Amino acid sequence: MSERTLEALRNGSKGKIHIYLRDEKTAVEFLTDAENEGYRFGKIKPTENHISDIIALEKNKQLSYVTCCGRVCFQSGGGRMKDEGLYHRIDYARYKNGDEVFCFEKPTVKQGAETRKKTK
């Protein structure tokens, strides 16, 4: 992928894409970039909508907010979803900065597991 655009990301990735926006600056940059590339929330321009920390990049240049279930899925890791195929979690700041690794890797240890101790 040579150019770091949303369309290049969408075309280079099969399956569901969730974009992580780590702070307000990154979110504003994402919404501006999305609008400039013709993405919309239905018929609403991205910069006319509110900021969120996770936004789904859909087909047909559509964006959507991630619901409670989607957030649980995001926190569970990328990889494969049973019914929907591949699932990608993209750190937009890393993607735009040109970092080679911009996808969150699937966690190898369940959260909290490393601090649990056996009780007798």
Side-chain angles (χ1 to χ4, degrees), residues 21-80:
L21 307 167
R22 66 175 74 181
D23 53 32
E24 187 174 342
K25 178 184 174 210
T26 304
V28 169
E29 180 181 16
F30 169 79
L31 294 173
T32 302
D33 290 347
E35 186 169 313
N36 290 338
E37 289 189 48
Y39 280 83
R40 299 288 185 262
F41 287 98
K43 293 184 179 182
I44 301 170
K45 292 180 180 182
T47 57
E48 294 175 353
N49 249 348
H50 68 274
I51 292 174
S52 181
D53 60 338
I54 304 171
I55 294 180
L57 188 64
E58 306 288 355
K59 296 176 184 174
N60 303 322
K61 295 204 173 212
Q62 291 295 306
L63 302 172
S64 65
Y65 291 108
V66 178
T67 64
C68 178
C69 292
R71 288 175 176 280
V72 170
C73 186
F74 184 88
Q75 293 173 355
S76 297
R80 284 205 160 276

